[in-house]
Amino acid sequence: MRSRILAVLLMVVFAGTLLTACGSDDSSTIKIGVADASESYWKVFTEKASAQGIDVKLVNFTDYNQPNPALAEGELDLNEFQHLLYLATYNVKNNQDLVPIGATAVYPLPLYSKRYQAVADIPQGAQVVIPNDPTNQARGLLVLEQAGLITLTTPGSPFSTLADIDQSRSKVKVVAVDAGQTAANLDSVAAAIVNNNYATSAGLTAKEVIASDDPNAPAARPYINAFVARAADKDNQTYAKLVQIYHDPEVIAAVKESLGDAGVIKDNPASELQQTLTELEASVKADGS
């Protein structure tokens, strides 16, 4: 009887060990929140990661407001969808300390139009759509100002808002909508500022771009996109390896094939990105809006 009981106990322990081992597969999977998981370059990236023993699961979001809270709450291990100014604004407004651990690229913020071939063709009083999240809204206003479509009452900055538009001296009327809806509005407005990933998913091309900012300019530094982690994981070597994999020549070639050549690939050190983030957070706090 004693030997039978011992055998049963050993079976229970063995089964528990199997369950633990099975569960460890899920815990070893690195979940990365993105806004364009359907793009083919992510398949190249995940295959490269897998070849180096890193299992990656992409979690797609259609709303820019979701990936940072999901990361902060531990639902994700990393995200890759945002630039540094967006991250700085999120951290300050939500008392968080998410950190960039590796750069990906700076993408221009283009003004698209399906109706007009040039900015000069847009008529007085026409409607133009821009993203409504604070950082992309401000950047969109700067693009419109540089294009001569609006005049701002104060010098344009990364913190400009719709309230800063001098309506009497502006050529167009600006409407802010969710970033994911900017492309959808192109059929009913003169032009729209559309972020790169949404433009790609909507099938927009360079032929429809009538204005843009310069991703090579020093003023583009706040708009470097990055892999982002929780502060406790900023030195995680596996995550650092994923940043390196993103910069593999085959992955970069796939990125350019998917997203076009307009973006400027960046490989700034994590320490430099984190210093820039600190400076931007100070600016966000000082702005206080």
Side-chain angles (χ1 to χ4, degrees), residues 235-256:
D235 297 319
N236 184 295
Q237 292 304 302
T238 301
Y239 298 171
K241 186 65 176 176
L242 287 174
V243 174
Q244 294 176 12
I245 291 170
Y246 186 93
H247 288 276
D248 180 283
E250 290 184 28
V251 177
I252 293 300
V255 169
K256 289 184 173 292

Side-chain angles (χ1 to χ4, degrees), residues 215-237:
N216 286 302
R221 188 168 62 111
Y223 305 114
I224 296 174
N225 284 267
F227 281 96
V228 175
R230 289 181 292 277
D233 297 325
K234 69 183 181 68
D235 297 319
N236 184 295
Q237 292 304 302

